[in-house]
Amino acid sequence: VKAFMDGSLGSRTALFHEAYSDDDTTSGLRVEEYEYMMKEVAGADKAGLQVAVHAIGDKAVDDIIDIYTNARKQNGAARDRRFRI
């Protein structure tokens, strides 16, 4: 399963904790809502699927690490899963 948390650096859509240094009106774009991703990743993991999520910005990466951690806690740690960012 492949999903997206944010966009790209060139278009200023990678999601950061702080605003872009050359455009203080934006800190990026969240492609999918956090709660939606939490549910979908946990469901895919529970079904035994491998999950890969595109995340470039530091906020997007932090969010997906939290989401992966939650899925592992929710579904158990015994399985050999290979979450990818």
Side-chain angles (χ1 to χ4, degrees):
V1 174
K2 171 89 180 192
F4 291 83
M5 286 298 289
D6 65 354
S8 66
L9 287 170
S11 62
R12 291 184 189 86
T13 55
L15 185 63
F16 289 98
H17 287 283
E18 296 181 17
Y20 281 81
S21 62
D22 63 343
D23 184 357
D24 63 2
T25 65
T26 185
S27 59
L29 174 70
R30 180 182 301 281
V31 174
E32 296 291 353
E33 291 298 321
Y34 182 89
E35 293 80 17
Y36 172 82
M37 289 296 290
M38 185 77 75
K39 178 183 163 211
E40 293 300 311
V41 167
D45 180 62
K46 185 175 183 177
L49 301 173
Q50 295 293 318
V51 179
V53 177
H54 166 95
I56 298 290
D58 62 349
K59 173 70 173 144
V61 171
D62 287 348
D63 285 354
I64 197 59
I65 289 171
D66 289 344
I67 289 167
Y68 284 164
T69 300
N70 175 71
R72 188 172 185 265
K73 286 179 185 175
Q74 184 176 329
N75 297 326
R79 189 166 77 75
D80 178 27
R81 61 180 51 87
R82 299 182 187 188
F83 291 133
R84 290 171 289 167
I85 299 175

